[in-house]
Amino acid sequence: MSLLIDGHNLIGRMADMSLSDPDDEVELVQRLRRYCLRQRRRATVVFDAGLPGGPAPQLSAPPVEVVFASVGSSADCVIRRRILQARDPRGLVVVSSDRALQQAARSRGAQVVQAEQFAARLTGQPTADSPLPDRLLPEDEVAQWLALFEPGDGCVNTSE
């Protein structure tokens, strides 16, 4: 499945990024590239008001395509157009918290992921729909658990 991402909408939901940072788009693209390589996915991220508008080859590199809306348009319009023109809209995952975009995506059968949820995935934070990350226990804690539950007479060891 291919990701279609509302770039500034996602940046606005990232706890450690700011829309006022002049390098926010570059930072997001770098994170998306790492994510897509790990997940073996492709993504198109669309940003508002870039000059001259259209694909941004200087930022794009597999597996992430970067597109800027032209002056007088918006990322929402570009994303909506791409949803309507998609040959297989069911193969799209639209990342945005914009309700109108979500509705446009769902009406064509595309999946929708809230920008907040996707931001958590990018930063490695667990979400309600993702399992908690594995965490290694310290050796002394493992030893305590093994002692507590080691096979024996079938009783739980309650001594300390």
Side-chain angles (χ1 to χ4, degrees), residues 99-128:
R99 290 186 181 161
L101 278 182
Q102 291 176 350
Q103 179 57 38
R106 287 186 180 111
S107 72
R108 291 284 323 241
Q111 294 181 31
V112 172
V113 175
Q114 292 275 11
E116 295 83 358
Q117 292 174 324
F118 195 77
R121 290 180 194 173
L122 281 180
T123 59
Q125 299 170 353
T127 62

Side-chain angles (χ1 to χ4, degrees), residues 44-74:
T44 299
V45 59
V46 183
F47 294 108
D48 289 305
L51 294 174
Q58 69 279 16
L59 288 177
S60 298
V64 178
E65 176 191 17
V66 180
V67 176
F68 283 90
S70 59
V71 175
S73 186
S74 69

Side-chain angles (χ1 to χ4, degrees), residues 32 35 42-43 51 60-61 70 92-93 96 114 130 133 145 148 152 159:
L32 288 171
Y35 175 84
R42 290 175 312 144
L51 294 174
S60 298
S70 59
L92 282 178
V93 177
S96 180
Q114 292 275 11
S130 68
W145 281 104
L148 185 63
S159 62

Side-chain angles (χ1 to χ4, degrees), residues 14-71:
M14 303 280 294
D16 59 346
M17 292 182 74
S18 171
L19 289 165
S20 63
D21 180 351
D23 296 323
D24 59 349
E25 290 101 346
V26 173
E27 175 65 26
L28 180 63
V29 170
Q30 289 172 343
R31 290 183 190 194
L32 288 171
R33 192 170 291 127
R34 288 189 299 267
Y35 175 84
C36 288
L37 288 170
R38 279 193 318 271
Q39 299 296 318
R40 294 190 173 129
R41 292 188 124 172
R42 290 175 312 144
T44 299
V45 59
V46 183
F47 294 108
D48 289 305
L51 294 174
Q58 69 279 16
L59 288 177
S60 298
V64 178
E65 176 191 17
V66 180
V67 176
F68 283 90
S70 59
V71 175

